[in-house]
Amino acid sequence: MKKHNIFKSIPLIIGVSFVTVLTIMMLVSLFYTPYSPNAMDPSDRLAQPSFTHLFGTDNFGRDIFSRVMQGSQTAFLIGFSAVSIGLFFGFLIGACAGYFGGWIDELSMRIIDAMMALPGILFAIMLISVFETGIRNTIIALGIMSIPSFARIVRSGFIQVKQFDFVKASIAKGAGSFRIIFQHILPNVTSPILVAVTLSFSGSVLAEAGLSYLGLGVQPPDPSWGRMLKEAQPFMSTAPWYVILTGLFITFMVLGFNLLSDGIRDLQDKKS
Amino acid sequence: MKMITIKRLFIMLFVLLFIVGCSSPTASKDTQGKTNHSEQNQEKSSNEGGVVRIAMSTEIDNLDPYLSAATDTGSMMDNVFDGLLDTDENGKLVPAIAEKYAISDDGRTYTFYLKEGVMFHDGSELTADDVVYSYAKLGGLNGGEPLSSRFEIVEKVEAKSPLEVVVTLKEVDSAFLARNIVAIVPKDYEEQSSKPIGAGPFKFEEYKVGQELRLSKNENYYDKENTPKIDEVQFKIMPDPESSILAMQAGEIDILPGISKQGLDQLGDTVHSISGPQNMVQLMAMNNSVKPFDDVRVRQAINLAINKDVIIDTVADGMGTKLGTNMSPAMQFYYEPGLEDRYEQNIEKAKELLDEAGLASGFTMELTVPSDYQFHVDTAQVIADQLSQINIQTEIKQIEFSSWLENVYNNAQYETTIIGFTGKLDPYEVLVRYVSDYGKNFMKFQDERYDELIKEAVRETDETKKAALYKKAQTILTDEAAALFIMDPDRTTAMRNGVNGLKLFPIQKFNLEDVTVTK
């Protein structure tokens, strides 16, 4: 078992390479895009992909490649922030519920159940329509949306690890709850959390694309893949590359993180 | 674990294939070729029945013509109801239920002589009493709330004889005549919202919420020359423009109003179309009561920074008429030509004006756009791009149309917004929006000269003098840069080959009584 080679896990390889390429693209876009993503050139509308415009231009004559690059920033920002919010609160709730048990567990899990009963995207749409559209509220909504899954995973991890002898030993030694949670239990539940993080990341990216497609997420003219997909829709027959390329990038991103999470899970299944 | 991955992969692949499948031009041509056959079959069957199916993008708000506010609903239900007068393609008023009318010398009393033998769909005869009932209801003359502010001007309405109605106005209002196209409803009938009854060329059959509205031919239509040729009309509610284009391609739709140029290209020569200005004013309204838009120099600078031709080319695919004031050239007689070229794009001059206003370093403005209208959202993006040249940063904020009505239209809580004013028959209804004390003047435009001109024009009974006054008023709107007037987007209606007879009107209306289905 020890000889298990990470390079033998095909999903992991594909996942890592997709994510790496996208990350590099995002990092590069921070400093350089071939054209300004919002610059319009009405004389060069819906141009086909060529050497001057790698992915062609959209209906305003904006360079699609630059917008896809810029859009990756949005995707990463939303994914990262939403996961952070979800992880932070999800961990707090899950850890308390799993470690203390009893009525705290009951109460918090019933709240989480109630949250899970609402389909995530509907919940996000509701939040956004009550407050305002925009990137901040999108992040908050998606963050809240991902709390339940984190809470559940952390809780079950904690319940499992809590019963191990070394935890009982440190309780007997008089260690505080805080110390036990973070020093003794947390290191033993990192891998399921890692899986949840990658999964939730791709979920958030997809949800943001969905919300922006509905006009509720990121506001124009800032590029977001979901909104680009919507803007490309009327030109499906005249400029098919616009909709295909944008859709492909959403697919790469979501697929990349999903495969990454499957890869990590496979690794850890084999380890145990 | 592996199973889940595979499943997920399949889903992703499916989504991908779906996107590709929808967009590949060769694929769509294939389906086009196939559907041509089924279309021919359908043509045969729809020929016998004479059914015309029309795609509509918005839901019906109310079947009662007095309670409905949506333009689309009005254009559908207009076929069920007739008014005393009607309009032709040029916006000229023509007789409908009323055979003729007379206006007293003081301009306050209108006498309408009704045609004989006009029947409602329930078989009862339309008499002067029904007209009195209808107008009293609209004007709130029976103690109720007026249902239409445009009929508050009516002082009293009387039936002189079964075929003679006299309407007296509180004061002279030259815009009143054009309002007589309003629906006449049967007296004391209270179920207009569920089963509407009128005297129009089509009878109401059935309405399935969110799906379709069915109308059938009125065999006893009073206007024998204009009795419908087709037996049935089905308005299909299809909010998504893409799916209605696909439906037309598949032969499920005969008439598609408001189609884009892309859509028309996609449908190719299976359809023919009519197209022209729709008497709409698309504008970027600036709240004249908030800083910095209270400064005419800032408004002028914004006007100078925008190249409207670019907006027309990119957003409307070149299918639009440039505007310079709150009036479309479709209103030929009242339109003041030349205003559309008053503000040619001139970045230097715009910057100078901003400098004079003390805003050389620019500012950030919020542009509120109703998210339901991609056309306006696209316009907003071009404007944002062009305004950045004079250091104005634009934050686009999309809101639901219902919130737009509440915040912007009713309460003027906004900085700038983009909207289209739909066409009216009388210039007063178009220009009154900018009168200082008009309730829905959400532009908050204030100008005494303007108020005076509009007041004078509405009292003027001489057509030529009236037109001159309205033209002067339009010039003020341009000089003061009351808003950024953008364009009158062409409205294109696609018809399946074999369907003919539809015409364009200065108000949104379908002359379905003239439509024929051949082949």
Side-chain angles (χ1 to χ4, degrees):
Chain A
M1 271 296 143
K2 272 210 162 173
K3 272 184 186 166
H4 176 75
N5 190 340
I6 53 160
F7 293 106
K8 276 192 180 158
S9 169
I10 293 166
L12 192 64
I13 298 169
I14 302 175
V16 168
S17 43
F18 277 10
V19 171
T20 315
V21 170
L22 287 169
T23 313
I24 291 170
M25 193 174 87
M26 187 270 291
L27 289 174
V28 170
S29 76
L30 290 173
F31 309 103
Y32 169 78
T33 50
Y35 296 83
S36 163
N38 290 335
M40 297 181 180
D41 180 3
S43 61
D44 198 11
R45 302 177 58 222
L46 297 172
Q48 285 190 11
S50 63
F51 285 111
T52 39
H53 294 286
L54 212 51
F55 286 3
T57 58
D58 69 3
N59 51 324
F60 298 106
R62 298 179 293 200
D63 182 51
I64 295 175
F65 185 55
S66 305
R67 288 179 68 74
V68 167
M69 283 178 80
Q70 185 87 5
S72 68
Q73 285 180 26
T74 317
F76 271 97
L77 174 72
I78 300 247
F80 186 76
S81 331
V83 166
S84 307
I85 293 175
L87 181 59
F88 180 76
F89 291 102
F91 181 80
L92 269 186
I93 296 170
C96 290
Y99 181 75
F100 296 111
W103 66 268
I104 298 179
D105 185 24
E106 270 302 313
L107 182 71
S108 47
M109 280 308 114
R110 291 302 79 79
I111 295 171
I112 294 294
D113 282 348
M115 279 173 81
M116 282 184 117
L118 268 175
I121 195 95
L122 276 188
F123 185 64
I125 289 175
M126 187 189 80
L127 273 180
I128 288 169
S129 13
V130 172
F131 301 102
E132 262 178 12
T133 51
I135 198 158
R136 196 191 60 215
N137 286 334
T138 309
I139 289 173
I140 295 174
L142 297 181
I144 295 176
M145 210 172 102
S146 61
I147 291 176
S149 60
F150 281 116
R152 285 246 168 135
I153 286 161
V154 171
R155 172 180 171 268
S156 60
F158 265 66
I159 288 176
Q160 210 180 359
V161 179
K162 196 172 73 169
Q163 289 154 357
F164 289 166
D165 288 341
F166 71 92
V167 178
K168 286 180 181 159
S170 26
I171 294 175
K173 270 164 80 186
S177 302
F178 191 79
R179 186 184 168 83
I180 294 171
I181 288 176
F182 285 97
Q183 282 231 304
H184 297 295
I185 306 184
L186 180 60
N188 289 292
V189 293
T190 44
S191 39
I193 292 178
L194 204 59
V195 173
V197 163
T198 45
L199 257 187
S200 166
F201 195 98
S202 69
S204 300
V205 170
L206 201 58
E208 184 273 326
L211 287 174
S212 296
Y213 181 85
L214 296 173
L216 294 168
V218 181
Q219 295 301 292
D222 295 324
S224 131
W225 291 346
R227 232 201 34 262
M228 286 173 72
L229 206 55
K230 181 192 180 149
E231 285 177 0
Q233 209 182 351
F235 309 100
M236 270 196 311
S237 57
T238 38
W241 56 88
Y242 188 7
V243 77
I244 293 175
L245 289 169
T246 317
L248 267 180
F249 271 84
I250 299 176
T251 313
F252 281 154
M253 184 81 145
V254 176
L255 194 60
F257 275 94
N258 273 348
L259 290 173
L260 188 64
S261 103
D262 282 339
I264 296 171
R265 192 156 39 192
D266 284 355
L267 273 187
Q268 124 210 339
D269 281 356
K270 275 167 191 153
K271 247 188 239 162
S272 48
Chain B
M1 294 293 158
K2 270 276 150 66
M3 279 301 286
I4 296 172
T5 320
I6 290 165
K7 218 174 171 184
R8 217 174 272 149
L9 262 170
F10 264 109
I11 293 170
M12 307 290 309
L13 263 176
F14 176 75
V15 171
L16 203 65
L17 281 176
F18 177 74
I19 294 169
V20 175
C22 286
S23 48
S24 144
T26 46
S28 60
K29 250 182 208 143
D30 276 358
T31 43
Q32 209 170 304
K34 269 178 217 152
T35 49
N36 269 344
H37 295 282
S38 61
E39 204 180 298
Q40 270 160 14
N41 291 340
Q42 287 210 334
E43 261 163 33
K44 255 183 209 156
S45 59
S46 57
N47 209 358
E48 286 154 23
V51 180
V52 165
R53 297 151 300 174
I54 306 173
M56 297 301 292
S57 59
T58 57
E59 180 60 76
I60 286 172
D61 63 339
N62 201 321
L63 290 169
D64 187 333
Y66 294 169
L67 299 178
S68 151
T71 313
D72 271 356
T73 307
S75 66
M76 286 185 254
M77 295 308 289
D78 175 59
N79 294 291
V80 175
F81 297 99
D82 263 13
L84 293 179
L85 305 175
D86 201 358
T87 170
D88 70 359
E89 303 115 87
N90 303 317
K92 222 186 101 198
L93 292 169
V94 292
I97 293 173
E99 199 170 16
K100 57 184 178 167
Y101 60 87
I103 307 174
S104 69
D105 290 337
D106 67 353
R108 279 182 52 208
T109 312
Y110 291 68
T111 311
F112 293 96
Y113 302 94
L114 310 187
K115 282 180 190 163
E116 226 171 308
V118 179
M119 295 287 192
F120 281 117
H121 299 149
D122 60 356
S124 61
E125 201 180 342
L126 191 157
T127 64
D129 284 340
D130 299 303
V131 180
V132 172
Y133 170 79
S134 301
Y135 280 28
K137 207 172 168 185
L138 285 168
L141 298 179
N142 292 341
E145 274 285 301
L147 289 177
S148 163
S149 57
R150 300 155 81 200
F151 277 82
E152 277 174 37
I153 189 87
V154 175
E155 190 178 80
K156 59 177 185 206
V157 48
E158 295 160 311
K160 274 272 160 66
S161 78
L163 294 178
E164 197 180 336
V165 182
V166 180
V167 182
T168 314
L169 304 184
K170 288 172 187 157
E171 53 190 277
V172 178
D173 184 349
S174 65
F176 179 73
L177 194 62
R179 294 176 194 156
N180 291 296
I181 58 168
V182 76
I184 301 296
V185 297
K187 193 181 173 193
D188 296 328
Y189 181 69
E190 297 291 345
E191 281 158 52
Q192 291 291 4
S193 291
S194 52
K195 198 183 180 315
I197 290 180
F202 287 89
K203 285 190 283 194
F204 172 83
E205 279 295 326
E206 191 190 15
Y207 169 49
K208 287 190 210 136
V209 178
Q211 291 180 45
E212 64 169 8
L213 167 71
R214 277 199 307 123
L215 308 179
S216 68
K217 175 182 180 175
N218 176 7
E219 301 278 0
N220 302 319
Y221 190 47
Y222 63 89
D223 189 354
K224 293 294 170 216
E225 276 171 33
N226 286 318
T227 305
K229 282 108 197 149
I230 47 176
D231 288 341
E232 189 173 309
V233 182
Q234 298 172 358
F235 290 101
K236 307 270 187 192
I237 312 293
M238 296 186 152
D240 180 34
E242 307 308 322
S243 45
S244 43
I245 291 168
L246 291 174
M248 185 138 191
Q249 206 163 44
E252 289 159 15
I253 290 294
D254 302 308
I255 296 176
L256 179 48
I259 189 175
S260 65
K261 186 160 176 276
Q262 261 71 31
L264 215 51
D265 289 348
Q266 196 176 331
L267 291 171
D269 49 16
T270 57
V271 297
H272 62 119
S273 65
I274 47 169
S275 182
Q278 54 176 317
N279 193 13
M280 179 191 261
V281 175
Q282 190 209 20
L283 74 166
M284 182 179 88
M286 300 177 254
N287 192 336
N288 285 207
S289 66
V290 302
K291 276 196 183 324
F293 307 104
D294 54 347
D295 190 331
V296 63
R297 289 169 297 194
V298 175
R299 302 198 299 263
Q300 283 170 339
I302 288 176
N303 266 282
L304 283 167
I306 301 296
N307 184 342
K308 293 167 192 170
D309 291 322
V310 169
I311 302 181
I312 294 172
D313 285 345
T314 52
V315 181
D317 278 301
M319 317 263 279
T321 315
K322 189 158 82 168
L323 297 183
T325 187
N326 199 72
M327 177 86 60
S328 158
M331 304 271 285
Q332 256 179 37
F333 188 67
Y334 300 105
Y335 177 74
E336 172 77 354
L339 292 179
E340 65 274 10
D341 294 322
R342 175 69 61 89
Y343 298 103
E344 291 275 0
Q345 190 182 36
N346 188 337
I347 301 297
E348 281 314 305
K349 213 169 143 199
K351 278 184 177 165
E352 274 170 35
L353 280 168
L354 276 188
D355 198 12
E356 279 175 37
L359 288 163
S361 53
F363 58 93
T364 304
M365 72 174 207
E366 193 179 79
L367 179 52
T368 312
V369 195
S371 59
D372 311 43
Y373 297 94
Q374 190 60 37
F375 194 86
H376 297 326
V377 178
D378 283 351
T379 308
Q381 297 196 50
V382 183
I383 288 179
D385 181 55
Q386 297 192 351
L387 286 184
S388 64
Q389 297 173 77
I390 57 168
N391 297 324
I392 297 178
Q393 305 308 319
T394 314
E395 275 175 15
I396 299 173
K397 193 177 113 190
Q398 292 184 77
I399 57 172
E400 276 275 302
F401 189 59
S402 51
S403 332
W404 185 90
L405 281 175
E406 177 65 21
N407 299 347
V408 181
Y409 192 65
N410 290 331
N411 295 321
Q413 298 291 334
Y414 75 106
E415 283 189 9
T416 58
T417 188
I418 296 178
I419 198 67
F421 290 145
T422 44
K424 299 284 184 325
L425 281 181
D426 194 279
Y428 175 76
E429 319 281 359
V430 180
L431 294 171
V432 70
R433 296 180 185 278
Y434 295 85
V435 171
S436 312
D437 56 358
Y438 181 69
K440 298 289 191 295
N441 175 3
F442 66 89
M443 285 69 62
K444 295 285 167 202
F445 179 69
Q446 306 254 334
D447 191 292
E448 277 175 27
R449 289 171 302 155
Y450 185 83
D451 297 355
E452 276 305 313
L453 278 170
I454 298 294
K455 232 183 251 168
E456 212 179 311
V458 83
R459 284 201 209 106
E460 183 58 62
T461 43
D462 183 86
E463 280 290 307
T464 328
K465 282 186 195 156
K466 190 168 91 173
L469 290 168
Y470 283 131
K471 283 181 180 179
K472 230 188 228 171
Q474 292 168 45
T475 316
I476 294 181
L477 290 183
T478 310
D479 290 346
E480 293 292 319
L484 170 71
F485 304 101
I486 306 169
M487 66 167 125
D488 178 6
D490 285 0
R491 184 172 169 87
T492 306
T493 300
M495 281 170 276
R496 183 172 62 78
N497 287 340
V499 176
N500 287 299
L502 219 53
K503 288 183 216 152
L504 284 169
F505 290 85
I507 52 171
Q508 254 190 58
K509 169 183 159 80
F510 296 108
N511 55 325
L512 292 172
E513 60 274 15
D514 300 330
V515 170
T516 54
V517 184
T518 49
K519 250 201 282 183

